[in-house]
Amino acid sequence: MYNPFFSSFMLAIEAQRVIELRLVRLAWGGREGRAEMQSMVTEKVHAAAEAMTTLMLGGSPEKVITRYREHVAFNTKRLSAA
């Protein structure tokens, strides 16, 4: 059974890790910091458009949350490897 509170809560916790990793990258500055800033804005715009499209086409909020968690997991892996 799907629990929307749990999924939303997990998304918030997982997103905190990405925020931490991004802030470190931004604090170091330089080329990597600027690239991360651009990447962050671009990813957020694309994720919002994807969520809007999913909902407009009849998708559920659960599907949107699941997809956002996939994005967050990818960013955690990408930022942790560097």
Side-chain angles (χ1 to χ4, degrees):
M1 184 171 147
Y2 178 76
N3 184 345
F5 175 78
F6 179 75
S7 292
S8 300
F9 182 73
M10 289 304 298
L11 174 61
I13 290 172
E14 294 159 356
Q16 284 297 333
R17 177 70 177 143
V18 172
I19 292 168
E20 173 192 354
L21 293 167
R22 280 189 160 154
L23 285 175
V24 169
R25 175 112 7 134
L26 293 174
W28 279 103
R31 188 181 328 172
E32 288 182 2
R34 284 190 300 275
E36 188 59 37
M37 241 185 335
Q38 285 182 320
S39 173
M40 182 172 57
V41 172
T42 302
E43 288 173 8
K44 289 186 182 303
V45 170
H46 286 145
E50 183 180 350
M52 180 179 61
T53 303
T54 298
L55 293 172
M56 286 175 44
L57 294 175
S60 67
E62 295 86 13
K63 187 173 183 179
V64 172
I65 291 171
T66 300
R67 185 67 177 132
Y68 265 105
R69 288 185 71 193
E70 290 172 4
H71 288 296
V72 169
F74 173 78
N75 280 319
T76 300
K77 185 175 182 179
R78 177 180 63 82
L79 292 166
S80 295

